[in-house]
Amino acid sequence: QVQLVESGGGLVQAGDSLRLSCAVSGRTFTNYAMGWFRQPPGKEREFVATINWSDGSTYYAASMKGRFTVSRDNTKNTAYLQMNSLKPEDTAVYYCAARYGGQNINAATYRYWGQGTQVTVSS
């Protein structure tokens, strides 16, 4: 059974940093891409970043590039989202997801999802 479990969310102040983790289990993700998405309160889910599990190549939403960094540790079967210089508008539930094949910004193409972790940034 494939499982993705996020952790690391919380309440922080504007300008702070957080690192989210996504622990994966249940299969080998060598040929998979991992995606990070978020859903702000009252809004639709949006793409944040994605990383190829095999070669570590990454792609970011334009508004996140430079502040957010996605990475993975193959030895720990864990993907990470490092978020710096957080802003109140970054407040959202953050999800990790996995899809077979290459990177994609469309959430509908991801088969496996974590339960989400809340990030709240106060001003």
Side-chain angles (χ1 to χ4, degrees):
Q1 182 179 358
V2 176
Q3 280 194 313
L4 281 66
V5 179
E6 299 103 335
S7 61
L11 173 63
V12 297
Q13 293 186 334
D16 285 351
S17 298
L18 273 178
R19 188 178 78 160
L20 305 183
S21 299
C22 175
V24 301
S25 62
R27 71 172 308 124
T28 301
F29 281 80
T30 303
N31 295 316
Y32 279 68
M34 304 297 297
W36 286 94
F37 296 83
R38 69 184 186 184
Q39 187 163 15
K43 297 184 179 181
E44 294 186 351
R45 191 171 299 188
E46 61 182 6
F47 168 74
V48 175
T50 181
I51 183 168
N52 275 341
W53 198 266
S54 57
D55 64 8
S57 58
T58 59
Y59 182 79
Y60 298 88
S63 59
M64 322 300 177
K65 197 171 185 179
R67 293 193 302 126
F68 290 9
T69 303
V70 60
S71 62
R72 90 279 187 249
D73 185 333
N74 290 344
T75 64
K76 297 182 179 180
N77 284 340
T78 301
Y80 303 97
L81 182 67
Q82 176 69 41
M83 305 185 294
N84 299 328
S85 302
L86 284 163
K87 307 174 181 179
E89 50 265 42
D90 293 319
T91 294
V93 178
Y94 284 72
Y95 298 89
C96 66
R99 68 182 302 274
Y100 183 82
Q103 300 164 353
N104 198 298
I105 67 171
N106 186 349
T109 68
Y110 286 75
R111 178 176 182 181
Y112 303 107
W113 288 83
Q115 81 287 356
T117 185
Q118 177 71 47
V119 172
T120 302
V121 185
S122 63
S123 57

